[in-house]
Amino acid sequence: MLRTAPARPSLPQQCEVCRRWGDAGVCGECVGRYAAPRPRCATCGLGTGFALPRCGACLHDPPPFERTVCFADYTFPWDHLITAFKFNGRAELAVPMAELLVSAVRACTKLENRPRPDTVLPVPMAPGRLRERGYNQAWELARRVARRLALPADATLLQRPLDTAHQSALSRRERQHNLRTAFMADPRRRAELQGRRIALVDDVMTTGATVHEAAAVLRRAGAAAVEVWVLARTPDEPATPS
Ligand SMILES: [Zn+2]
Ligand SMILES: [Zn+2]
């Protein structure tokens, strides 16, 4: 069952960060203070000294996605909000978070003048994890973002049939190995991916291994291009996985 609350833009709302009342789930002042635009690699979204189409890592080993849109770095207060969203059952936080992601997608699209994606897909969650949590946070974001951008969204075209170990407990190498067989395109619906441009949505991009594998599966299944839309990007790979 999805535990979600409808957006009510006409009613006053309390900012989820500073608790002041206003007309948005996260106020403009908090966005300005904690999510000021910073130069990034356009391909992987990593913060860089100056804006680049491709950072060194993306030049050396081009990922299977064309670009990454991210709203902010995975730092305060976004890390707290995302933790509440994922682990404390606050599914209704998808409403303000989707608005923030929409604003980031619109800002990037205006700058880059790219073709719109054909379909928005969430990074899928394995069945056991989905049962535990009751909702896939990526789908909660993806379907709202898609609706705001008047794009179709699909919860099941990309699948994650097996429950694997928690990614957060693994090193980068272990994550990659673990993910290699994690995703598959619905075998009965592969025709729907042929030549399509896909926007792949997730809440957080850490090392990028998850979206890397999911995008590779989509490309192998026939997608023409994949771009990644995430709310938050870990600024640098942590020295020790936690
Ligand atoms: Zn605020
Ligand atoms: Zn990069």
Side-chain angles (χ1 to χ4, degrees):
M1 193 181 74
L2 298 174
R3 285 169 285 165
T4 54
R8 291 190 181 164
S10 55
L11 294 175
Q13 297 181 69
Q14 206 171 9
C15 171
E16 290 290 346
V17 179
C18 69
R19 312 311 298 174
R20 274 194 291 251
W21 288 90
D23 59 4
V26 175
C27 75
E29 207 169 302
C30 287
V31 171
R33 179 172 305 159
Y34 300 114
R38 62 171 296 190
R40 294 181 185 279
C41 165
T43 306
C44 74
L46 196 66
T48 44
F50 49 93
L52 294 165
R54 285 191 172 186
C55 68
C58 289
L59 275 175
H60 178 70
D61 187 12
F65 45 86
E66 281 188 346
R67 72 160 176 174
T68 297
V69 173
C70 65
F71 164 71
D73 278 335
Y74 188 56
T75 50
F76 179 84
W78 317 115
D79 51 354
H80 289 240
L81 284 189
I82 289 170
T83 299
F85 176 38
K86 276 161 83 161
F87 302 112
N88 303 342
R90 293 199 60 203
E92 78 281 3
L93 283 172
V95 177
M97 288 183 172
E99 286 304 309
L100 300 173
L101 185 50
V102 165
S103 68
V105 170
R106 284 191 168 141
C108 277
T109 305
K110 207 189 282 178
L111 278 178
E112 296 178 14
N113 198 22
R114 259 166 210 271
R116 278 159 65 84
D118 299 301
T119 306
V120 180
L121 304 181
V123 169
M125 190 179 261
R129 196 79 45 79
L130 188 58
R131 272 196 302 278
E132 264 171 41
R133 190 170 298 169
Y135 54 92
N136 174 3
Q137 73 280 353
W139 172 240
E140 295 304 304
L141 288 175
R143 65 191 183 92
R144 288 178 170 85
V145 167
R147 191 166 58 213
R148 293 278 275 114
L149 299 173
L151 293 167
D154 194 305
T156 58
L157 187 49
L158 180 63
Q159 302 183 340
R160 189 173 203 161
L162 300 173
D163 283 282
T164 47
H166 272 283
Q167 286 294 95
S168 55
L170 305 173
S171 72
R172 187 189 179 98
R173 187 178 291 261
E174 287 168 330
R175 283 178 192 225
Q176 282 167 342
H177 179 76
N178 198 16
L179 284 163
R180 201 147 293 150
T181 54
F183 300 105
M184 62 182 280
D186 183 337
R188 294 160 304 177
R189 298 180 59 202
R190 286 170 74 107
E192 293 174 46
L193 285 168
Q194 302 311 305
R196 310 310 293 274
R197 301 183 66 86
I198 304 296
L200 185 62
V201 172
D202 208 354
D203 55 340
V204 181
M205 181 167 167
T206 306
T207 63
T210 302
V211 289
H212 195 287
E213 289 302 323
V217 164
L218 291 169
R219 294 297 308 281
R220 283 200 296 273
V226 177
E227 56 183 272
V228 174
W229 297 351
V230 292
L231 192 68
R233 176 74 161 98
T234 299
D236 281 303
E237 189 168 349
T240 49
S242 56

